[in-house]
Amino acid sequence: MVRQTKIHVLNDTSLFDSMQLQLRPILTIGMRCWAQWSSENLHSFPVLIKEHRFGLVVVGAQVVHERPYDFFSASGFDVVGHAEVVQERRLILGHMSFLHGEERFLSLRITCRPVAMAGGGSFAAMPTAIEGHLLDKLAPEVTNRRIEREVPALLAALRPEQQVAEALETHRLHRHDCEAADQWSYIEIGARAASARESMVSRASKELRPRLQAGLTTPVRSVDLEIKRPLFLFDELHVRTQAFVQDERLTFVHTVQSKMGGRHDHAVMVERF
């Protein structure tokens, strides 16, 4: 039997843009649901890290807007979440359904990699498989299912001739971009990418603007995020944004890069409209 948790969220204007829930609060609410599930069925996040030297690093997320839902749709909504342990106990998924009554209007999947913490107050960690008493507590959630990486498949479907624009933005990480370990928060990666898209569209030439306008004026259909490497407080990052038109639909690809010790790709996010 799937063990679920539920949280209720009241609509306030800061959660929405003029069309739908914004990505940043979607991910924030998802993490709160995930933390509650963990506290009810495993341990709270601080106890996992401090007492059990066990952490969960977010390495991916997928958001699908299944139905229209805006600020005036209701006074609030429920989020129901559950966990699934996959890939030979080396990944754990958080599945969240955002519900308007009994109808799901948005689905969120958070992909986490279990890590063994160094201890002694340090956040240093190495990937590990879930085992021991934590595995015992998670036994109902363990499956043999293997999951496919969505982002490489989405990128493979895009062809160079479908690209209509490209832009590059440079930022420096500050504390509001980071989590407790002074490492970037994946919640903020999405906001950085969305800002890069909005900048690209607003600065587009008069000739190009009509092809990109939907990136400002229509709802996002889905977001897929894959995180490859961390960044830390005060690191400089570059967001390379490419816009593609495929079958009359807009897709934006955001690659977060750095030049520290050579060029590295840290994350890729795909927005589809």
Side-chain angles (χ1 to χ4, degrees), residues 6 26 28 49 66 96 104 114 123 157 187 202 216 226 240 262 264 267:
K6 178 190 285 189
I26 290 170
T28 299
I49 293 171
E66 300 181 10
M96 287 87 178
R104 185 170 70 187
F123 281 96
I187 290 167
S202 63
L216 286 181
E226 184 174 279
R240 177 186 176 219
H264 299 289

Side-chain angles (χ1 to χ4, degrees), residues 82-144:
H82 69 275
E84 183 185 9
V85 178
V86 298
Q87 303 288 81
E88 298 178 341
R89 298 175 285 109
R90 293 187 177 274
L91 288 179
I92 182 167
L93 309 179
H95 299 280
M96 287 87 178
S97 295
F98 288 56
L99 304 174
H100 179 198
E102 297 299 317
E103 181 180 56
R104 185 170 70 187
F105 65 89
L106 183 147
S107 63
L108 166 64
R109 188 182 79 183
I110 302 173
T111 304
C112 299
R113 188 176 304 283
V115 293
M117 312 296 294
S122 170
F123 281 96
M126 291 290 292
T128 188
I130 300 172
E131 55 190 10
H133 94 282
L134 296 179
L135 179 59
D136 293 338
K137 293 179 77 70
L138 285 169
E141 282 69 45
V142 176
T143 74
N144 293 320

